[in-house]
Amino acid sequence: MTTTKPSASTQRKRITDMRRVEESLVMLAPRWSAWTLLTLKETGPQRPIDIRKALPMPSAPVLSARLSSLTDAGLVDRRAVNGRLVTYGLSVRGRQVIPALDALAGWAQRHPLDGDEAPVAYAERIEEALLQLGGRHTAAVLWTLRERGQARVGDLHQAIAPQLSLPTMSLKLTTIAADGLIERMADDQRAPYRLSAIAADLAEPFALLSAWAAGRTPKGNVTHPVWNPAPAKTQPTQRSNGGNRATRPATVRATAAAPVPAAHNRAVPPALACQAKTAPWGAQLFSHAGPQQPAATAAGGRAR
């Protein structure tokens, strides 16, 4: 993908934008955070004991920690009735992040973690996406490759985390590549990296997260200068008709997405195609989740 070098002001805005999205992913990544938000979306304000009953496995201390962190982040409101009965419910910001979570669920459904195409619960799908994307510097790597098209290890190191050692950054890139998000452009350890087709499909989730992290309410098809540019208008054309010139109305042309290798375009079985933007409730939200792992605090990334 050929890009024009942005101005210093534009680059600063993009760096701020990238960091906001990365911080949002890290904040949402800990186990049970997304599940708790989806539960409160459907049930309304609930006591902690009732929230815990709606979730598969978290212990009372783990759920308490999640509610506390989500409250501190402004996603959940804590209310005490008569100083005794405490309930938790989604805040305005908590409700506004749901479209981004829905988009992450759709992305995870189209690109199952480790290629496992067995049916997975809706909330679990979101946590799988956050598991892949919530690691430190992961979003920054994807963002930089989306902008540049390709980059070598040294260039990514200097652009994203020069405070790290080069071997540490190289190991980080190897981990992201193992998750299927980036790939070498050739079978050579010195070859530059590029986005995989899986990561190139993150346009909608990242555009929605960007809008939400900036304090806007994501609605409809959100454009984004890096991930989902606005369609470009063609210049009006003029033609001669017996000396009278008529102006043809401008037409809208869709901006092409970053090119991805054809070998990585994977067909999605119809049974797993994302059918709705709104998370289903009840059994569909938590069913088909498979064996649950013991609840643990996660800072993002694949390890839990």
Side-chain angles (χ1 to χ4, degrees):
M1 178 175 62
T2 303
T3 58
T4 303
K5 185 176 181 181
S7 65
S9 175
T10 299
Q11 189 61 17
R12 283 195 297 271
K13 291 179 180 178
R14 290 188 178 183
I15 290 173
T16 299
D17 187 19
M18 176 185 69
R19 288 175 177 169
R20 283 175 179 160
V21 171
E22 186 173 50
E23 290 169 358
S24 297
L25 288 167
V26 171
M27 177 182 63
L28 292 165
R31 182 71 163 160
W32 307 117
S33 296
W35 291 59
T36 300
L37 293 174
L38 290 175
T39 298
L40 294 177
K41 169 183 176 287
E42 298 297 335
T43 65
Q46 292 283 307
R47 298 177 302 166
I49 189 172
D50 296 322
I51 298 172
R52 188 182 172 200
K53 289 178 181 178
L55 301 179
M57 274 196 65
S59 63
V62 169
L63 178 58
S64 178
R66 289 297 165 271
L67 289 171
S68 178
S69 63
L70 291 171
T71 300
D72 291 342
L75 303 181
V76 168
D77 289 331
R78 180 184 185 276
R79 296 182 180 180
V81 181
N82 297 327
R84 299 178 61 184
L85 179 61
V86 176
T87 63
Y88 291 87
L90 284 187
S91 66
V92 173
R93 292 293 288 156
R95 289 191 295 273
Q96 290 172 343
V97 80
I98 297 299
L101 296 182
D102 288 341
L104 286 172
W107 176 79
Q109 187 177 36
R110 294 190 298 274
H111 310 287
L113 187 64
D114 297 328
D116 183 6
E117 296 183 350
V120 177
Y122 195 91
E124 185 68 16
R125 236 178 263 138
I126 296 172
E127 296 222 338
E128 285 183 355
L130 293 169
L131 180 68
Q132 286 185 284
L133 302 173
R136 186 66 174 162
H137 303 308
T138 297
V141 169
L142 302 181
W143 208 283
T144 302
L145 290 175
R146 179 74 175 193
E147 286 186 302
R148 299 187 181 187
Q150 64 182 48
R152 297 184 184 276
V153 174
D155 295 330
L156 290 169
H157 174 239
Q158 290 301 315
I160 296 168
Q163 74 279 8
L164 299 178
S165 67
L166 185 58
T168 299
M169 188 62 186
S170 180
L171 180 60
K172 177 66 181 177
L173 293 172
T174 300
T175 301
I176 299 174
D179 282 347
L181 298 173
I182 62 175
E183 61 192 10
R184 295 278 190 179
M185 294 189 66
D187 189 15
D188 185 341
Q189 292 301 309
R190 295 170 297 180
Y193 280 105
R194 65 184 171 191
L195 289 184
S196 69
I198 294 173
D201 192 30
L202 281 165
E204 182 186 13
F206 273 11
L208 288 169
L209 277 172
S210 171
W212 177 80
R216 301 190 299 273
T217 303
K219 292 182 179 179
N221 183 25
V222 178
T223 61
H224 188 275
V226 175
W227 290 94
N228 190 26
K233 292 184 178 181
T234 60
Q235 295 296 324
T237 58
Q238 295 180 334
R239 60 183 178 180
S240 178
N241 184 13
N244 296 324
R245 295 188 301 173
T247 301
R248 182 181 301 169
T251 58
V252 176
R253 181 182 58 204
T255 302
V260 295
H264 290 269
N265 293 330
R266 299 185 297 168
V268 179
L272 293 181
C274 187
Q275 298 296 325
K277 294 293 183 182
T278 303
W281 178 240
Q284 295 183 46
L285 183 62
F286 302 117
S287 64
H288 307 301
Q292 296 296 327
Q293 300 297 322
T297 300
R302 295 179 68 84
R304 288 201 181 276

